[in-house]
PDB file of all heavy atoms in Angstrom:
ATOM      1  N   ASN A   1       0.812  -1.174  -0.051  1.00 82.00           N
ATOM      2  CA  ASN A   1       0.016   0.007   0.075  1.00 82.00           C
ATOM      3  C   ASN A   1       0.846   1.296  -0.072  1.00 82.00           C
ATOM      4  O   ASN A   1       1.816   1.357   0.751  1.00 82.00           O
ATOM      5  CB  ASN A   1      -0.850   0.028   1.268  1.00 82.00           C
ATOM      6  CG  ASN A   1      -1.697  -1.189   1.329  1.00 82.00           C
ATOM      7  OD1 ASN A   1      -1.387  -2.264   0.972  1.00 82.00           O
ATOM      8  ND2 ASN A   1      -2.881  -0.920   1.942  1.00 82.00           N
ATOM      9  N   ILE A   2       0.544   2.222  -0.879  1.00 87.00           N
ATOM     10  CA  ILE A   2       1.234   3.472  -0.929  1.00 87.00           C
ATOM     11  C   ILE A   2       0.165   4.584  -1.015  1.00 87.00           C
ATOM     12  O   ILE A   2      -1.033   4.296  -1.370  1.00 87.00           O
ATOM     13  CB  ILE A   2       2.199   3.620  -2.074  1.00 87.00           C
ATOM     14  CG1 ILE A   2       1.500   3.485  -3.471  1.00 87.00           C
ATOM     15  CG2 ILE A   2       3.300   2.643  -1.914  1.00 87.00           C
ATOM     16  CD1 ILE A   2       2.309   3.746  -4.566  1.00 87.00           C
ATOM     17  N   VAL A   3       0.576   5.773  -0.763  1.00 91.00           N
ATOM     18  CA  VAL A   3      -0.218   6.883  -0.957  1.00 91.00           C
ATOM     19  C   VAL A   3       0.279   7.724  -2.135  1.00 91.00           C
ATOM     20  O   VAL A   3       1.437   8.183  -2.172  1.00 91.00           O
ATOM     21  CB  VAL A   3      -0.396   7.850   0.294  1.00 91.00           C
ATOM     22  CG1 VAL A   3      -1.159   9.217   0.003  1.00 91.00           C
ATOM     23  CG2 VAL A   3      -0.963   7.131   1.505  1.00 91.00           C
ATOM     24  N   SER A   4      -0.481   7.802  -3.248  1.00 91.00           N
ATOM     25  CA  SER A   4      -0.050   8.496  -4.452  1.00 91.00           C
ATOM     26  C   SER A   4      -0.206  10.002  -4.195  1.00 91.00           C
ATOM     27  O   SER A   4      -1.024  10.429  -3.402  1.00 91.00           O
ATOM     28  CB  SER A   4      -0.916   8.075  -5.656  1.00 91.00           C
ATOM     29  OG  SER A   4      -0.702   6.715  -5.938  1.00 91.00           O
ATOM     30  N   ASP A   5       0.588  10.755  -4.819  1.00 93.00           N
ATOM     31  CA  ASP A   5       0.528  12.231  -4.709  1.00 93.00           C
ATOM     32  C   ASP A   5      -0.602  12.850  -5.426  1.00 93.00           C
ATOM     33  O   ASP A   5      -1.269  12.174  -6.179  1.00 93.00           O
ATOM     34  CB  ASP A   5       1.798  12.961  -4.944  1.00 93.00           C
ATOM     35  CG  ASP A   5       2.188  12.896  -6.522  1.00 93.00           C
ATOM     36  OD1 ASP A   5       1.324  12.732  -7.309  1.00 93.00           O
ATOM     37  OD2 ASP A   5       3.410  12.926  -6.778  1.00 93.00           O
ATOM     38  N   ARG A   6      -1.065  14.037  -5.057  1.00 95.00           N
ATOM     39  CA  ARG A   6      -2.182  14.627  -5.599  1.00 95.00           C
ATOM     40  C   ARG A   6      -2.136  14.705  -7.158  1.00 95.00           C
ATOM     41  O   ARG A   6      -3.144  14.571  -7.857  1.00 95.00           O
ATOM     42  CB  ARG A   6      -2.379  16.093  -5.052  1.00 95.00           C
ATOM     43  CG  ARG A   6      -2.901  16.076  -3.637  1.00 95.00           C
ATOM     44  CD  ARG A   6      -3.042  17.581  -3.130  1.00 95.00           C
ATOM     45  NE  ARG A   6      -3.626  17.649  -1.955  1.00 95.00           N
ATOM     46  CZ  ARG A   6      -4.920  17.887  -1.817  1.00 95.00           C
ATOM     47  NH1 ARG A   6      -5.737  18.025  -2.833  1.00 95.00           N
ATOM     48  NH2 ARG A   6      -5.546  17.951  -0.616  1.00 95.00           N
ATOM     49  N   ARG A   7      -1.000  15.057  -7.626  1.00 96.00           N
ATOM     50  CA  ARG A   7      -0.748  15.116  -9.115  1.00 96.00           C
ATOM     51  C   ARG A   7      -1.163  13.771  -9.784  1.00 96.00           C
ATOM     52  O   ARG A   7      -1.909  13.771 -10.770  1.00 96.00           O
ATOM     53  CB  ARG A   7       0.607  15.510  -9.489  1.00 96.00           C
ATOM     54  CG  ARG A   7       1.016  15.514 -10.947  1.00 96.00           C
ATOM     55  CD  ARG A   7       0.460  16.588 -11.757  1.00 96.00           C
ATOM     56  NE  ARG A   7       0.744  17.867 -11.303  1.00 96.00           N
ATOM     57  CZ  ARG A   7       0.156  19.038 -11.540  1.00 96.00           C
ATOM     58  NH1 ARG A   7      -0.987  19.006 -12.236  1.00 96.00           N
ATOM     59  NH2 ARG A   7       0.580  20.195 -10.983  1.00 96.00           N
ATOM     60  N   GLU A   8      -0.709  12.701  -9.302  1.00 95.00           N
ATOM     61  CA  GLU A   8      -1.043  11.417  -9.853  1.00 95.00           C
ATOM     62  C   GLU A   8      -2.471  11.101  -9.849  1.00 95.00           C
ATOM     63  O   GLU A   8      -3.090  10.684 -10.802  1.00 95.00           O
ATOM     64  CB  GLU A   8      -0.205  10.267  -9.104  1.00 95.00           C
ATOM     65  CG  GLU A   8      -0.565   8.970  -9.720  1.00 95.00           C
ATOM     66  CD  GLU A   8       0.304   7.838  -9.079  1.00 95.00           C
ATOM     67  OE1 GLU A   8       1.135   8.079  -8.285  1.00 95.00           O
ATOM     68  OE2 GLU A   8      -0.020   6.681  -9.392  1.00 95.00           O
ATOM     69  N   ILE A   9      -3.222  11.377  -8.694  1.00 97.00           N
ATOM     70  CA  ILE A   9      -4.582  11.202  -8.578  1.00 97.00           C
ATOM     71  C   ILE A   9      -5.294  11.974  -9.517  1.00 97.00           C
ATOM     72  O   ILE A   9      -6.289  11.598 -10.106  1.00 97.00           O
ATOM     73  CB  ILE A   9      -5.089  11.367  -7.072  1.00 97.00           C
ATOM     74  CG1 ILE A   9      -4.290  10.363  -6.119  1.00 97.00           C
ATOM     75  CG2 ILE A   9      -6.540  11.132  -6.917  1.00 97.00           C
ATOM     76  CD1 ILE A   9      -4.355   8.909  -6.679  1.00 97.00           C
ATOM     77  N   HIS A  10      -4.933  13.318  -9.522  1.00 96.00           N
ATOM     78  CA  HIS A  10      -5.603  14.206 -10.486  1.00 96.00           C
ATOM     79  C   HIS A  10      -5.509  13.664 -11.971  1.00 96.00           C
ATOM     80  O   HIS A  10      -6.450  13.637 -12.665  1.00 96.00           O
ATOM     81  CB  HIS A  10      -4.843  15.590 -10.412  1.00 96.00           C
ATOM     82  CG  HIS A  10      -5.264  16.484 -11.410  1.00 96.00           C
ATOM     83  ND1 HIS A  10      -6.546  17.210 -11.374  1.00 96.00           N
ATOM     84  CD2 HIS A  10      -4.771  16.966 -12.614  1.00 96.00           C
ATOM     85  CE1 HIS A  10      -6.658  18.011 -12.472  1.00 96.00           C
ATOM     86  NE2 HIS A  10      -5.624  17.838 -13.201  1.00 96.00           N
ATOM     87  N   ASP A  11      -4.331  13.138 -12.309  1.00 96.00           N
ATOM     88  CA  ASP A  11      -4.156  12.570 -13.616  1.00 96.00           C
ATOM     89  C   ASP A  11      -5.069  11.370 -13.855  1.00 96.00           C
ATOM     90  O   ASP A  11      -5.526  11.083 -15.005  1.00 96.00           O
ATOM     91  CB  ASP A  11      -2.676  12.259 -13.883  1.00 96.00           C
ATOM     92  CG  ASP A  11      -1.824  13.519 -13.994  1.00 96.00           C
ATOM     93  OD1 ASP A  11      -2.321  14.702 -14.200  1.00 96.00           O
ATOM     94  OD2 ASP A  11      -0.519  13.354 -13.878  1.00 96.00           O
ATOM     95  N   ILE A  12      -5.139  10.544 -12.831  1.00 96.00           N
ATOM     96  CA  ILE A  12      -5.973   9.325 -12.947  1.00 96.00           C
ATOM     97  C   ILE A  12      -7.490   9.701 -13.091  1.00 96.00           C
ATOM     98  O   ILE A  12      -8.122   9.105 -13.964  1.00 96.00           O
ATOM     99  CB  ILE A  12      -5.773   8.358 -11.644  1.00 96.00           C
ATOM    100  CG1 ILE A  12      -4.367   7.685 -11.759  1.00 96.00           C
ATOM    101  CG2 ILE A  12      -6.887   7.376 -11.537  1.00 96.00           C
ATOM    102  CD1 ILE A  12      -4.198   6.855 -12.965  1.00 96.00           C
ATOM    103  N   LEU A  13      -7.894  10.668 -12.321  1.00 97.00           N
ATOM    104  CA  LEU A  13      -9.283  11.133 -12.415  1.00 97.00           C
ATOM    105  C   LEU A  13      -9.580  11.734 -13.800  1.00 97.00           C
ATOM    106  O   LEU A  13     -10.592  11.501 -14.469  1.00 97.00           O
ATOM    107  CB  LEU A  13      -9.569  12.069 -11.348  1.00 97.00           C
ATOM    108  CG  LEU A  13      -9.587  11.561  -9.889  1.00 97.00           C
ATOM    109  CD1 LEU A  13      -9.775  12.613  -8.881  1.00 97.00           C
ATOM    110  CD2 LEU A  13     -10.624  10.493  -9.774  1.00 97.00           C
ATOM    111  N   LYS A  14      -8.601  12.402 -14.305  1.00 96.00           N
ATOM    112  CA  LYS A  14      -8.635  12.950 -15.690  1.00 96.00           C
ATOM    113  C   LYS A  14      -8.697  11.874 -16.766  1.00 96.00           C
ATOM    114  O   LYS A  14      -9.452  11.970 -17.650  1.00 96.00           O
ATOM    115  CB  LYS A  14      -7.438  13.895 -15.921  1.00 96.00           C
ATOM    116  CG  LYS A  14      -7.598  14.840 -17.057  1.00 96.00           C
ATOM    117  CD  LYS A  14      -6.459  15.818 -16.973  1.00 96.00           C
ATOM    118  CE  LYS A  14      -6.083  16.342 -18.312  1.00 96.00           C
ATOM    119  NZ  LYS A  14      -4.921  17.213 -18.340  1.00 96.00           N
ATOM    120  N   SER A  15      -7.925  10.800 -16.481  1.00 94.00           N
ATOM    121  CA  SER A  15      -7.924   9.716 -17.435  1.00 94.00           C
ATOM    122  C   SER A  15      -9.275   8.937 -17.482  1.00 94.00           C
ATOM    123  O   SER A  15      -9.761   8.525 -18.506  1.00 94.00           O
ATOM    124  CB  SER A  15      -6.870   8.588 -17.050  1.00 94.00           C
ATOM    125  OG  SER A  15      -5.554   9.056 -17.289  1.00 94.00           O
ATOM    126  N   ILE A  16     -10.014   8.839 -16.295  1.00 95.00           N
ATOM    127  CA  ILE A  16     -11.265   8.216 -16.273  1.00 95.00           C
ATOM    128  C   ILE A  16     -12.149   9.037 -17.198  1.00 95.00           C
ATOM    129  O   ILE A  16     -12.919   8.421 -17.999  1.00 95.00           O
ATOM    130  CB  ILE A  16     -11.844   8.166 -14.834  1.00 95.00           C
ATOM    131  CG1 ILE A  16     -10.998   7.226 -13.927  1.00 95.00           C
ATOM    132  CG2 ILE A  16     -13.345   7.777 -14.825  1.00 95.00           C
ATOM    133  CD1 ILE A  16     -11.392   7.278 -12.460  1.00 95.00           C
ATOM    134  N   HIS A  17     -12.225  10.289 -17.026  1.00 94.00           N
ATOM    135  CA  HIS A  17     -13.071  11.099 -17.907  1.00 94.00           C
ATOM    136  C   HIS A  17     -12.695  10.981 -19.327  1.00 94.00           C
ATOM    137  O   HIS A  17     -13.565  10.875 -20.187  1.00 94.00           O
ATOM    138  CB  HIS A  17     -13.032  12.615 -17.498  1.00 94.00           C
ATOM    139  CG  HIS A  17     -13.784  12.858 -16.240  1.00 94.00           C
ATOM    140  ND1 HIS A  17     -15.148  13.249 -16.196  1.00 94.00           N
ATOM    141  CD2 HIS A  17     -13.482  12.765 -14.957  1.00 94.00           C
ATOM    142  CE1 HIS A  17     -15.596  13.375 -15.010  1.00 94.00           C
ATOM    143  NE2 HIS A  17     -14.540  12.985 -14.171  1.00 94.00           N
ATOM    144  N   SER A  18     -11.459  10.932 -19.705  1.00 92.00           N
ATOM    145  CA  SER A  18     -11.003  10.830 -21.037  1.00 92.00           C
ATOM    146  C   SER A  18     -11.466   9.535 -21.621  1.00 92.00           C
ATOM    147  O   SER A  18     -11.962   9.486 -22.775  1.00 92.00           O
ATOM    148  CB  SER A  18      -9.483  10.982 -21.078  1.00 92.00           C
ATOM    149  OG  SER A  18      -9.035  10.760 -22.415  1.00 92.00           O
ATOM    150  N   ILE A  19     -11.289   8.398 -20.922  1.00 92.00           N
ATOM    151  CA  ILE A  19     -11.676   7.076 -21.349  1.00 92.00           C
ATOM    152  C   ILE A  19     -13.129   7.072 -21.747  1.00 92.00           C
ATOM    153  O   ILE A  19     -13.573   6.591 -22.744  1.00 92.00           O
ATOM    154  CB  ILE A  19     -11.294   5.994 -20.370  1.00 92.00           C
ATOM    155  CG1 ILE A  19      -9.812   5.849 -20.380  1.00 92.00           C
ATOM    156  CG2 ILE A  19     -11.978   4.553 -20.646  1.00 92.00           C
ATOM    157  CD1 ILE A  19      -9.279   5.110 -19.088  1.00 92.00           C
ATOM    158  N   PHE A  20     -13.984   7.525 -20.815  1.00 90.00           N
ATOM    159  CA  PHE A  20     -15.480   7.453 -21.023  1.00 90.00           C
ATOM    160  C   PHE A  20     -15.929   8.470 -22.005  1.00 90.00           C
ATOM    161  O   PHE A  20     -16.886   8.269 -22.632  1.00 90.00           O
ATOM    162  CB  PHE A  20     -16.236   7.520 -19.722  1.00 90.00           C
ATOM    163  CG  PHE A  20     -15.922   6.358 -18.819  1.00 90.00           C
ATOM    164  CD1 PHE A  20     -15.581   6.515 -17.486  1.00 90.00           C
ATOM    165  CD2 PHE A  20     -16.249   5.047 -19.310  1.00 90.00           C
ATOM    166  CE1 PHE A  20     -15.326   5.342 -16.704  1.00 90.00           C
ATOM    167  CE2 PHE A  20     -15.953   3.882 -18.488  1.00 90.00           C
ATOM    168  CZ  PHE A  20     -15.604   4.044 -17.229  1.00 90.00           C
ATOM    169  N   ASP A  21     -15.221   9.610 -22.134  1.00 87.00           N
ATOM    170  CA  ASP A  21     -15.617  10.606 -23.161  1.00 87.00           C
ATOM    171  C   ASP A  21     -15.345  10.185 -24.556  1.00 87.00           C
ATOM    172  O   ASP A  21     -16.101  10.534 -25.473  1.00 87.00           O
ATOM    173  CB  ASP A  21     -14.882  11.971 -22.809  1.00 87.00           C
ATOM    174  CG  ASP A  21     -15.422  12.726 -21.575  1.00 87.00           C
ATOM    175  OD1 ASP A  21     -16.439  12.357 -21.037  1.00 87.00           O
ATOM    176  OD2 ASP A  21     -14.706  13.667 -21.130  1.00 87.00           O
ATOM    177  N   LYS A  22     -14.216   9.468 -24.721  1.00 79.00           N
ATOM    178  CA  LYS A  22     -13.790   9.035 -26.056  1.00 79.00           C
ATOM    179  C   LYS A  22     -14.675   7.915 -26.613  1.00 79.00           C
ATOM    180  O   LYS A  22     -14.744   7.763 -27.763  1.00 79.00           O
ATOM    181  CB  LYS A  22     -12.373   8.629 -26.065  1.00 79.00           C
ATOM    182  CG  LYS A  22     -11.388   9.758 -25.947  1.00 79.00           C
ATOM    183  CD  LYS A  22     -10.009   9.377 -26.039  1.00 79.00           C
ATOM    184  CE  LYS A  22      -9.042  10.489 -25.873  1.00 79.00           C
ATOM    185  NZ  LYS A  22      -7.697  10.085 -25.783  1.00 79.00           N
ATOM    186  N   ASN A  23     -15.294   7.105 -25.680  1.00 75.00           N
ATOM    187  CA  ASN A  23     -15.986   5.959 -26.118  1.00 75.00           C
ATOM    188  C   ASN A  23     -17.221   5.673 -25.220  1.00 75.00           C
ATOM    189  O   ASN A  23     -16.910   5.379 -24.105  1.00 75.00           O
ATOM    190  CB  ASN A  23     -15.038   4.685 -26.211  1.00 75.00           C
ATOM    191  CG  ASN A  23     -15.742   3.554 -26.833  1.00 75.00           C
ATOM    192  OD1 ASN A  23     -16.927   3.488 -26.988  1.00 75.00           O
ATOM    193  ND2 ASN A  23     -14.864   2.509 -27.162  1.00 75.00           N
ATOM    194  N   SER A  24     -18.328   5.843 -25.727  1.00 76.00           N
ATOM    195  CA  SER A  24     -19.570   5.734 -24.888  1.00 76.00           C
ATOM    196  C   SER A  24     -19.952   4.279 -24.719  1.00 76.00           C
ATOM    197  O   SER A  24     -20.940   3.902 -24.051  1.00 76.00           O
ATOM    198  CB  SER A  24     -20.648   6.625 -25.365  1.00 76.00           C
ATOM    199  OG  SER A  24     -20.978   6.206 -26.749  1.00 76.00           O
ATOM    200  N   ASN A  25     -19.345   3.337 -25.485  1.00 83.00           N
ATOM    201  CA  ASN A  25     -19.651   1.887 -25.318  1.00 83.00           C
ATOM    202  C   ASN A  25     -19.049   1.357 -24.092  1.00 83.00           C
ATOM    203  O   ASN A  25     -17.855   1.084 -24.042  1.00 83.00           O
ATOM    204  CB  ASN A  25     -19.154   1.167 -26.637  1.00 83.00           C
ATOM    205  CG  ASN A  25     -19.569  -0.272 -26.637  1.00 83.00           C
ATOM    206  OD1 ASN A  25     -19.985  -0.828 -25.620  1.00 83.00           O
ATOM    207  ND2 ASN A  25     -19.452  -0.865 -27.824  1.00 83.00           N
ATOM    208  N   ILE A  26     -19.838   1.095 -23.097  1.00 88.00           N
ATOM    209  CA  ILE A  26     -19.469   0.671 -21.820  1.00 88.00           C
ATOM    210  C   ILE A  26     -18.703  -0.613 -21.902  1.00 88.00           C
ATOM    211  O   ILE A  26     -17.757  -0.954 -21.178  1.00 88.00           O
ATOM    212  CB  ILE A  26     -20.658   0.546 -20.776  1.00 88.00           C
ATOM    213  CG1 ILE A  26     -21.111   1.937 -20.473  1.00 88.00           C
ATOM    214  CG2 ILE A  26     -20.219  -0.234 -19.540  1.00 88.00           C
ATOM    215  CD1 ILE A  26     -22.356   1.991 -19.514  1.00 88.00           C
ATOM    216  N   ASP A  27     -19.194  -1.530 -22.766  1.00 85.00           N
ATOM    217  CA  ASP A  27     -18.460  -2.871 -22.996  1.00 85.00           C
ATOM    218  C   ASP A  27     -17.037  -2.697 -23.419  1.00 85.00           C
ATOM    219  O   ASP A  27     -16.214  -3.539 -23.114  1.00 85.00           O
ATOM    220  CB  ASP A  27     -19.266  -3.664 -24.073  1.00 85.00           C
ATOM    221  CG  ASP A  27     -20.588  -4.149 -23.563  1.00 85.00           C
ATOM    222  OD1 ASP A  27     -20.787  -4.204 -22.323  1.00 85.00           O
ATOM    223  OD2 ASP A  27     -21.485  -4.466 -24.433  1.00 85.00           O
ATOM    224  N   GLU A  28     -16.688  -1.640 -24.086  1.00 87.00           N
ATOM    225  CA  GLU A  28     -15.280  -1.335 -24.541  1.00 87.00           C
ATOM    226  C   GLU A  28     -14.528  -0.541 -23.506  1.00 87.00           C
ATOM    227  O   GLU A  28     -13.267  -0.407 -23.673  1.00 87.00           O
ATOM    228  CB  GLU A  28     -15.297  -0.713 -25.837  1.00 87.00           C
ATOM    229  CG  GLU A  28     -15.933  -1.511 -26.932  1.00 87.00           C
ATOM    230  CD  GLU A  28     -15.976  -0.839 -28.286  1.00 87.00           C
ATOM    231  OE1 GLU A  28     -15.484   0.344 -28.468  1.00 87.00           O
ATOM    232  OE2 GLU A  28     -16.534  -1.532 -29.188  1.00 87.00           O
ATOM    233  N   THR A  29     -15.160   0.162 -22.532  1.00 92.00           N
ATOM    234  CA  THR A  29     -14.465   1.016 -21.652  1.00 92.00           C
ATOM    235  C   THR A  29     -14.437   0.561 -20.122  1.00 92.00           C
ATOM    236  O   THR A  29     -13.644   1.031 -19.432  1.00 92.00           O
ATOM    237  CB  THR A  29     -15.095   2.437 -21.676  1.00 92.00           C
ATOM    238  OG1 THR A  29     -16.441   2.318 -21.451  1.00 92.00           O
ATOM    239  CG2 THR A  29     -14.789   2.984 -23.016  1.00 92.00           C
ATOM    240  N   LEU A  30     -15.341  -0.376 -19.771  1.00 94.00           N
ATOM    241  CA  LEU A  30     -15.350  -0.873 -18.451  1.00 94.00           C
ATOM    242  C   LEU A  30     -15.430  -2.294 -18.367  1.00 94.00           C
ATOM    243  O   LEU A  30     -16.363  -2.953 -19.036  1.00 94.00           O
ATOM    244  CB  LEU A  30     -16.661  -0.197 -17.762  1.00 94.00           C
ATOM    245  CG  LEU A  30     -16.968  -0.702 -16.313  1.00 94.00           C
ATOM    246  CD1 LEU A  30     -15.916  -0.162 -15.335  1.00 94.00           C
ATOM    247  CD2 LEU A  30     -18.337  -0.378 -15.851  1.00 94.00           C
ATOM    248  N   GLN A  31     -14.587  -2.871 -17.607  1.00 93.00           N
ATOM    249  CA  GLN A  31     -14.621  -4.276 -17.265  1.00 93.00           C
ATOM    250  C   GLN A  31     -15.016  -4.416 -15.782  1.00 93.00           C
ATOM    251  O   GLN A  31     -14.169  -3.953 -14.989  1.00 93.00           O
ATOM    252  CB  GLN A  31     -13.375  -5.050 -17.612  1.00 93.00           C
ATOM    253  CG  GLN A  31     -13.523  -6.599 -17.352  1.00 93.00           C
ATOM    254  CD  GLN A  31     -12.192  -7.319 -17.681  1.00 93.00           C
ATOM    255  OE1 GLN A  31     -11.224  -6.707 -18.248  1.00 93.00           O
ATOM    256  NE2 GLN A  31     -12.097  -8.589 -17.213  1.00 93.00           N
ATOM    257  N   PHE A  32     -16.240  -4.919 -15.440  1.00 95.00           N
ATOM    258  CA  PHE A  32     -16.605  -5.083 -14.035  1.00 95.00           C
ATOM    259  C   PHE A  32     -16.346  -6.480 -13.646  1.00 95.00           C
ATOM    260  O   PHE A  32     -16.852  -7.448 -14.170  1.00 95.00           O
ATOM    261  CB  PHE A  32     -18.032  -4.632 -13.901  1.00 95.00           C
ATOM    262  CG  PHE A  32     -18.542  -4.809 -12.554  1.00 95.00           C
ATOM    263  CD1 PHE A  32     -18.192  -3.909 -11.549  1.00 95.00           C
ATOM    264  CD2 PHE A  32     -19.463  -5.800 -12.226  1.00 95.00           C
ATOM    265  CE1 PHE A  32     -18.743  -4.019 -10.284  1.00 95.00           C
ATOM    266  CE2 PHE A  32     -19.958  -6.041 -10.919  1.00 95.00           C
ATOM    267  CZ  PHE A  32     -19.616  -5.116  -9.960  1.00 95.00           C
ATOM    268  N   ILE A  33     -15.504  -6.647 -12.536  1.00 94.00           N
ATOM    269  CA  ILE A  33     -15.239  -7.993 -12.083  1.00 94.00           C
ATOM    270  C   ILE A  33     -16.367  -8.405 -11.108  1.00 94.00           C
ATOM    271  O   ILE A  33     -16.576  -7.846 -10.066  1.00 94.00           O
ATOM    272  CB  ILE A  33     -13.902  -8.040 -11.285  1.00 94.00           C
ATOM    273  CG1 ILE A  33     -12.759  -7.543 -12.249  1.00 94.00           C
ATOM    274  CG2 ILE A  33     -13.630  -9.516 -10.782  1.00 94.00           C
ATOM    275  CD1 ILE A  33     -12.497  -8.289 -13.447  1.00 94.00           C
ATOM    276  N   ALA A  34     -17.201  -9.341 -11.487  1.00 94.00           N
ATOM    277  CA  ALA A  34     -18.418  -9.696 -10.913  1.00 94.00           C
ATOM    278  C   ALA A  34     -18.219 -10.735  -9.853  1.00 94.00           C
ATOM    279  O   ALA A  34     -18.704 -11.855  -9.812  1.00 94.00           O
ATOM    280  CB  ALA A  34     -19.492 -10.214 -11.789  1.00 94.00           C
ATOM    281  N   THR A  35     -17.521 -10.294  -8.640  1.00 96.00           N
ATOM    282  CA  THR A  35     -17.361 -11.204  -7.580  1.00 96.00           C
ATOM    283  C   THR A  35     -18.743 -11.157  -6.818  1.00 96.00           C
ATOM    284  O   THR A  35     -19.604 -10.395  -6.971  1.00 96.00           O
ATOM    285  CB  THR A  35     -16.254 -10.668  -6.630  1.00 96.00           C
ATOM    286  OG1 THR A  35     -16.665  -9.426  -6.062  1.00 96.00           O
ATOM    287  CG2 THR A  35     -14.919 -10.601  -7.267  1.00 96.00           C
TER     288      THR A  35
END
């Protein structure tokens, strides 16, 4: 376990938006592990 710095978390949150903005097909952008 580590704590990522604010810049890295900001970049990850930005990546989430970018991934879903570029492709609205959930099957191609989200894999949900159904435990």
Side-chain angles (χ1 to χ4, degrees):
N1 304 32
I2 61 171
V3 174
S4 295
D5 65 28
R6 283 179 172 269
R7 172 72 60 202
E8 181 177 353
I9 299 309
H10 173 76
D11 291 346
I12 287 302
L13 294 172
K14 198 169 149 184
S15 290
I16 291 171
H17 284 268
S18 175
I19 290 166
F20 292 127
D21 286 348
K22 285 182 181 173
N23 187 344
S24 61
N25 185 342
I26 292 176
D27 290 336
E28 294 177 6
T29 54
L30 176 70
Q31 181 181 352
F32 178 72
I33 307 298
T35 64

